Amino acid sequence: MRHFDVFNGDADGICALHQLRLHRPLEAIRVTGVKRDIALLDRVLALAGDEITVLDISMEQNQAPLRALLDDGVKLRWFDHHRAGDIPSHPGLEAHIDTAPEVCTSLLVDRWLEGKYKAWAVVAAFGDNLDNAALHAARDLALNESKLERLRMLGEALNYNAYGESVEDLHFHPETLFEAVQEFADPFAFIQEAPQYRLLREGYEADMLRARNLEPHLTEPWGAIYAMPPDSWARRVSGVWANELAQEAPKRAHAVLTRRDGGYQVSVRAPLHTRMGADEVCIQFEGGGGRKAAAGINHLHDAELERFFSAFGQVFGAGL
């Protein structure tokens, strides 16, 4: 019997898997990629009797390979907080799905492990721009403000590494970054000792400085849209910058469009005071999906740009 770990390459996916492997170390074939690379089950060549753990990957986007694997006698355990679509009722599937706006996959794993490695769940929640959920989870840890800020910065750094059109845009392949994290049971030790963290923080600050100097394409009381150049730094920072914009203007929706061949990669953030509507915008377009609070479109063609502006306004600006 073989085991496969299939996980999103962002902070939530990495921290969710880290908690599980701290709890139960095992040799596994790992399958991951950039944050938007979510059709990961297609890459899993599992056979009857094999087991798969899936973390922070939309079941809705993996329905066909999921059903094929179940039919082949593969067992799956699935933790996620994205749109799931139809969840198969099958003895080979154990599904832990919660799409509530203040939940991330690492918090679901933390719930399942009864808080055994909670600090890593807090890191992931901060990385997923769920500050209130992170602070709520951290109450059991009795951390001072300085330590909470360090966990927030770690979550941002891990999440920042996941954005890009391909792994070539990233500082580290997500599997390599997971392997570095895996050496540390304590996130504060990782912050203090891991060279990967220092490199990510330096890259994050440099890329964010460039982003903060950009002027918005559209700004209204209810929303703002930014257009980014076709550069690797812009692809790396698009998601985390959208998170920062959301934190700075919690009553406003935001979209960050990063130029790519013949179109844009899109990150959408709903207003933090509602955390609703981001997925509603993005699922109207091919390659779009995500959560109510945060969603994206892998490739928005130039011809669809005006329709995107209209959809963004219809959802967040009441048609204005």
Side-chain angles (χ1 to χ4, degrees):
M1 183 193 76
R2 298 172 299 168
H3 193 95
F4 295 81
D5 285 334
V6 181
F7 62 104
N8 197 312
D10 68 355
D12 197 17
I14 288 174
C15 292
L17 179 57
H18 187 41
Q19 291 176 79
L20 288 175
R21 294 297 154 253
L22 286 172
H23 174 70
R24 183 194 172 201
L26 55 79
E27 291 294 324
I29 300 168
R30 291 190 285 269
V31 180
T32 187
V34 298
K35 182 177 178 67
R36 292 175 184 270
D37 191 358
I38 57 175
L40 295 177
L41 277 194
D42 283 328
R43 302 185 197 170
V44 179
L45 302 177
L47 303 172
D50 290 341
E51 295 182 348
I52 304 174
T53 298
V54 185
L55 299 160
D56 203 35
I57 301 295
S58 168
M59 188 179 289
E60 185 176 54
Q61 300 295 323
N62 290 271
Q63 283 281 337
L66 166 60
R67 293 177 185 277
L69 288 163
L70 290 172
D71 289 344
D72 287 343
V74 178
K75 293 183 178 180
L76 295 97
R77 175 176 289 153
W78 201 302
F79 293 87
D80 188 45
H81 64 136
H82 299 92
R83 293 168 60 100
D86 293 330
I87 301 175
S89 177
H90 193 285
L93 175 64
E94 178 186 326
H96 303 266
I97 309 292
D98 187 342
T99 61
E102 290 290 335
V103 171
C104 65
T105 301
S106 286
L107 289 173
L108 294 178
V109 172
D110 175 68
R111 184 189 302 171
W112 190 68
L113 294 176
E114 298 181 343
K116 192 171 183 180
Y117 305 103
K118 188 174 293 292
W120 286 106
V122 172
V123 169
F126 276 128
D128 242 14
N129 207 33
L130 299 175
D131 283 21
N132 289 337
L135 293 172
H136 184 269
R139 289 177 182 175
D140 295 337
L141 303 176
L143 301 175
N144 59 33
E145 290 187 11
S146 175
K147 287 190 171 183
L148 285 171
E149 178 64 11
R150 291 165 71 189
L151 294 184
R152 182 188 65 78
M153 292 173 66
L154 174 56
E156 287 179 344
L158 295 177
N159 216 47
Y160 157 74
N161 184 73
Y163 285 93
E165 187 172 341
S166 67
V167 294
E168 286 73 27
D169 286 335
L170 311 183
H171 292 287
F172 301 100
H173 192 290
E175 183 176 359
T176 302
L177 187 56
F178 168 76
E179 290 170 351
V181 169
Q182 196 176 29
E183 298 298 317
F184 297 87
D186 179 6
F188 295 106
F190 181 81
I191 292 168
Q192 183 67 30
E193 302 174 25
Q196 293 85 356
Y197 175 69
R198 291 191 292 274
L199 191 152
L200 288 177
R201 284 307 307 182
E202 291 169 0
Y204 173 86
E205 295 298 340
D207 288 350
M208 288 293 280
L209 181 61
R210 289 170 168 167
R212 290 167 183 148
N213 287 327
L214 294 175
E215 294 295 326
H217 173 79
L218 166 77
T219 180
E220 298 285 351
W222 51 266
I225 296 174
Y226 289 79
M228 306 276 274
D231 300 327
S232 57
W233 74 264
R235 294 190 291 271
R236 283 194 301 267
V237 84
S238 60
V240 291
W241 189 41
N243 288 345
E244 180 176 285
L245 291 169
Q247 291 287 344
E248 291 178 346
K251 293 185 178 181
R252 178 183 290 172
H254 294 87
V256 174
L257 283 64
T258 306
R259 189 67 181 171
R260 56 182 294 188
D261 293 343
Y264 297 87
Q265 179 176 289
V266 182
S267 293
V268 175
R269 299 294 180 269
L272 287 183
H273 81 297
T274 64
R275 293 192 179 276
M276 300 287 287
D279 59 339
E280 185 180 345
V281 173
C282 294
I283 61 173
Q284 298 181 45
F285 301 88
E286 183 180 357
R291 299 179 283 116
K292 295 178 176 65
I297 305 168
N298 287 336
H299 190 255
L300 179 73
H301 294 280
D302 284 337
E304 295 275 72
L305 192 58
E306 289 301 322
R307 189 165 77 87
F308 172 78
F309 291 157
S310 176
F312 188 79
Q314 287 288 338
V315 172
F316 297 118
L320 299 178

